[in-house]
Amino acid sequence: MAAHSDHSNEFQQTGEIPKAQTKVIWKTFFILVALTAVEFLFAFTMDAGTLRNAIFIILTVFKAFYIVAEFMHLKHETKALIWSIILPMALVMWLMVALISEGSYYFDSIRNYFN
Amino acid sequence: MSTSTTLEEPKTGTWDGGNEPLKASYGKLMMWFFLLSDAFTFAAFLIVYGLSRHSHLPYTGSPEEFQFSTEWWPIPEKVFNAFPGFHGVDLPLAFVALMTMILILSSVTMVLAVEAGHRMDKNDVQKWLLWTILFGGTFLGCQAWEWTHFIVGTEEGMLLADGTRIFGANMTMNQYGPPLFANLFFFITGFHGFHVTVGWILLVIAFISTVNGVYHKRGHYEMVEKIGLYWHFVDLVWVFVFTFFYLI
């Protein structure tokens, strides 16, 4: 029966599909891989300590920036959207500082209980 | 008598209605704010890890002489040093490195699927979604192996004061260090793994819909974009889990 038509054909694109624009995507990928590789380099060549942890955290923030800005496209959204995502997360930094110093205080007070 | 009514000038400002101030669709905005709330949950988990770690005795000896003990917090690279097929070989963080690469790669194929969706290229969307499903599934398989190894434990286990040994970890006993370390491992990587599983199911649904031409008929591939946002977020969380749980 001729009436048995494939409906998807009605919506088929007329004209050419544009060429893929993947340059930025692959560039971001190589940046992420390179940053991870640098992290491993530091993990195996440097002794553990505050400096090494600081390097890890800085590299992690860079990786997070590239994922959120390029892959999640946040860099290309409106300023209002960018700030409504970034600002609440910035407040979490305070929670981190407060609770980690609380942990150190707890440790000190237990250790020095009898001193 | 004047019958004319003065019509109020329509307001055309950014926040006066009738336009999209954030220039993003409802669905994408809701995904962003869901992810923001989800980020709070993960941040809380990782901050509790930091708090627990700082309230426990750190290991201060040389890394070469490190022994598992419930007294001190373990060095992560001494705990996560196994690799499938290399039994008994000390390969610190090698398996986690592989998992990280797989997840970053799946993020790239996801963003390529979104890009193909913008061009209404159904074949490319299918191809890249399938790659993402493959990498996502591989990551989940790796995590299953990692959990199994962590639960079963190493051959030596941990020597207790009374001469007995414990092997592996569960919610009450942990051969690698304080029980809290194992609990946090299960909760943090488990909650992340749960997110990956959900994302993987969403990807499979999106793939089936793409093959059936649902999005093509709709005229846009925004659903792929929204699932993409979620998938990148899962990758983003792994970046932080990797740093704070495995590296530091």
Side-chain angles (χ1 to χ4, degrees):
Chain A
M1 226 163 90
H4 182 84
S5 66
D6 186 4
H7 280 283
S8 67
N9 282 338
E10 295 169 23
F11 302 91
Q12 214 74 123
Q13 198 136 358
T14 50
E16 293 284 292
I17 293 169
K19 250 184 95 69
Q21 301 290 324
T22 56
K23 227 175 110 183
V24 182
I25 298 171
W26 287 110
K27 202 182 118 195
T28 312
F29 169 68
F30 286 120
I31 291 170
L32 289 176
V33 170
L35 286 175
T36 311
V38 171
E39 279 183 335
F40 273 100
L41 200 70
F42 278 112
F44 294 127
T45 57
M46 206 174 160
D47 289 330
T50 315
L51 179 65
R52 196 179 78 163
N53 289 350
I55 292 170
F56 284 152
I57 291 170
I58 290 165
L59 289 173
T60 304
V61 170
F62 272 109
K63 274 160 82 176
F65 168 79
Y66 279 105
I67 292 174
V68 177
E70 292 298 342
F71 285 179
M72 295 173 92
H73 215 254
L74 190 62
K75 201 174 142 190
H76 311 283
E77 305 287 353
T78 58
K79 275 219 171 70
L81 180 52
I82 295 174
W83 283 112
S84 46
I85 300 297
I86 300 295
L87 268 186
M89 280 323 288
L91 295 175
V92 172
M93 295 303 117
W94 167 243
L95 182 69
M96 187 178 82
V97 172
L99 283 192
I100 286 178
S101 64
E102 184 69 18
S104 301
Y105 172 77
Y106 176 82
F107 174 70
D108 283 342
S109 54
I110 294 294
R111 291 275 293 171
N112 305 323
Y113 194 74
F114 298 107
N115 298 355
Chain B
M1 201 171 90
S2 170
T3 51
S4 69
T5 38
T6 37
L7 283 170
E8 225 177 303
E9 276 288 296
K11 288 178 178 172
T12 51
T14 315
W15 298 97
D16 288 330
N19 54 24
E20 290 183 335
L22 298 177
K23 303 218 168 34
S25 70
Y26 170 79
K28 264 207 274 187
L29 279 183
M30 290 306 111
M31 181 52 90
W32 267 111
F33 290 118
F34 162 70
L35 293 180
L36 181 63
S37 70
D38 221 15
F40 288 150
T41 313
F42 276 108
F45 267 136
L46 286 171
I47 289 169
V48 167
Y49 178 83
L51 177 130
S52 313
R53 191 166 177 169
H54 278 252
S55 58
H56 278 77
L57 185 69
Y59 177 75
T60 46
S62 77
E64 288 78 27
E65 287 157 25
F66 177 79
Q67 294 250 306
F68 293 136
S69 164
T70 46
E71 289 288 311
W72 51 71
W73 205 258
I75 300 175
E77 55 186 71
K78 300 286 176 189
V79 180
F80 306 102
N81 62 353
F83 200 92
F86 291 89
H87 185 78
V89 186
D90 177 44
L91 296 163
L93 303 178
F95 196 56
V96 194
L98 180 70
M99 285 166 74
T100 306
M101 284 302 154
I102 291 168
L103 207 58
I104 291 178
L105 213 51
S106 84
S107 223
V108 172
T109 54
M110 186 73 233
V111 80
L112 287 169
V114 172
E115 196 271 342
H118 284 148
R119 294 182 287 113
M120 296 299 287
D121 188 340
K122 188 181 157 189
N123 288 337
D124 262 17
V125 176
Q126 278 172 38
K127 179 177 79 179
W128 293 120
L129 276 183
L130 207 56
W131 277 111
T132 314
I133 290 168
L134 180 81
F135 287 131
T138 313
F139 180 85
L140 282 174
C142 290
Q143 210 166 34
W145 185 88
E146 172 130 308
W147 268 53
T148 310
H149 180 83
F150 191 81
I151 292 166
V152 171
T154 58
E155 242 158 54
E156 308 81 43
M158 181 202 277
L159 184 64
L160 297 180
D162 62 358
T164 58
R165 282 173 189 275
I166 52 168
F167 300 96
N170 53 42
M171 296 301 276
T172 53
M173 276 195 325
N174 174 14
Q175 75 151 76
Y176 310 101
L180 197 55
F181 175 76
N183 297 348
L184 285 163
F185 174 81
F186 290 131
F187 274 101
I188 294 174
T189 65
F191 198 55
H192 177 262
F194 170 69
H195 275 77
V196 180
T197 313
V198 170
W200 193 81
I201 293 166
L202 291 174
L203 282 173
V204 171
I205 295 170
F207 177 72
I208 294 168
S209 303
T210 308
V211 171
N212 291 338
V214 174
Y215 305 136
H216 213 88
K217 279 175 207 161
R218 201 177 283 171
H220 56 82
Y221 282 82
E222 197 186 284
M223 190 54 80
V224 176
E225 226 171 301
K226 282 181 279 192
I227 297 171
L229 279 179
Y230 178 84
W231 192 257
H232 297 312
F233 173 75
V234 166
D235 183 28
L236 179 70
V237 168
W238 182 255
V239 165
F240 281 92
V241 170
F242 172 66
T243 301
F244 292 112
F245 210 97
Y246 293 94
L247 283 181
I248 287 181

